[in-house]
Amino acid sequence: MIKLIVNAEGSFIVPDSHGVPALRSDARRNVDRIRRAAVQIFRDRGFSAPLEEVAAAADVSKATIFNRLGGRVGLIDAVIDEVVAVELRTVIEDAQSIVEIRERICSYIDALRDLQYRLPAVNDVLLQEYRDSEPLLALCYAGTAFHDSLVSQGHAAGVLAPDFTPEDFQALARDNALALKHGGRPPRADYDRRTAFVLGGICASSCASA
């Protein structure tokens, strides 16, 4: 016998084969619209973009976001892969594929700073703005572990300044995130020129990619 479940609106919901209530087709469409809107807005403005904008773009109420996805953190969890995680992981994986450590460090810093400039949500990850989001923190910790390994390998190969620490690496990324998030983005040409200064300062000799 199929057990019908009555939702808060008084409508009947048929559970799936595991007994879990399935969303009605209109509710599924709402969730899909919310997700699509959130991906676009979060990519453009970061995870702190007003939920009212997401709701308006999805043509739903803000309350619907809370009812269906649990608010901002639930929404971040639902779309983090499409917004930022895939690109951040790709930057790390691309760097890991580079054999020469100096080139690996320079390429990674250049790619990370490029991503910080283009994708505001990266800065929310680096600043751990939403610590209740487990996927966001996991992404942040993966980046931190990679930074630590780069510094260790760079020192072993003699290509990093001797007094440059993993904490310095983290601080450079966080300082840049704070500047971009709260100070505004400079012209791209100026930003890239300063990236070259960063690379030239921490490496024992100049990076070819700079």
Side-chain angles (χ1 to χ4, degrees):
M1 178 182 292
I2 296 176
K3 181 180 179 181
L4 296 179
I5 298 172
V6 181
N7 66 11
E9 291 80 26
S11 300
F12 289 108
I13 301 176
V14 180
D16 63 16
S17 60
H18 302 288
V20 178
L23 290 176
R24 299 192 316 261
S25 59
D26 59 332
R28 288 197 300 272
R29 285 194 296 271
N30 282 345
V31 170
D32 289 342
R33 287 202 302 268
I34 292 167
R35 285 175 56 93
R36 288 195 299 270
V39 168
Q40 184 60 56
I41 290 171
F42 285 164
R43 283 183 66 88
D44 289 344
R45 301 188 54 189
F47 289 128
S48 60
L51 291 185
E52 289 83 358
E53 292 187 15
V54 177
D59 195 25
V60 301
S61 68
K62 182 178 175 180
T64 300
I65 295 177
F66 282 84
N67 291 337
R68 297 303 180 197
L69 292 157
R72 185 181 300 277
V73 170
L75 185 54
I76 290 171
D77 291 352
V79 301
I80 191 168
D81 277 352
E82 296 162 274
V83 174
V84 66
V86 170
E87 293 200 49
L88 264 175
R89 293 189 190 109
T90 298
V91 164
I92 291 174
E93 291 167 2
D94 287 348
Q96 288 173 328
S97 69
I98 298 173
V99 175
E100 205 278 317
I101 183 60
R102 178 185 286 107
E103 183 183 352
R104 187 186 314 154
I105 292 171
C106 293
S107 177
Y108 174 72
I109 292 175
D110 189 51
L112 179 62
R113 284 178 60 90
D114 172 68
L115 206 55
Q116 285 184 266
Y117 189 90
R118 292 188 294 104
L119 202 57
V122 171
N123 299 315
D124 292 322
V125 172
L126 294 172
L127 295 171
Q128 300 183 24
E129 291 279 25
Y130 300 98
R131 299 186 63 85
D132 290 335
S133 170
E134 292 184 7
L136 187 149
L137 286 184
L139 196 57
C140 182
Y141 294 152
T144 298
F146 184 59
H147 296 171
D148 291 349
S149 71
L150 283 180
V151 173
S152 176
Q153 295 163 10
H155 283 155
V159 302
L160 282 180
D163 57 348
F164 185 76
T165 68
E167 290 74 21
D168 293 328
F169 206 133
Q170 294 299 111
L172 284 173
R174 286 196 304 268
D175 289 350
N176 193 44
L178 285 168
L180 289 170
K181 185 175 178 66
H182 300 292
R185 294 193 303 173
R188 185 67 201 236
D190 289 343
Y191 184 81
D192 290 343
R193 182 168 53 87
R194 289 161 192 158
T195 295
F197 291 152
V198 170
L199 292 172
I202 69 172
C203 293
S205 60
S206 61
C207 293
S209 64

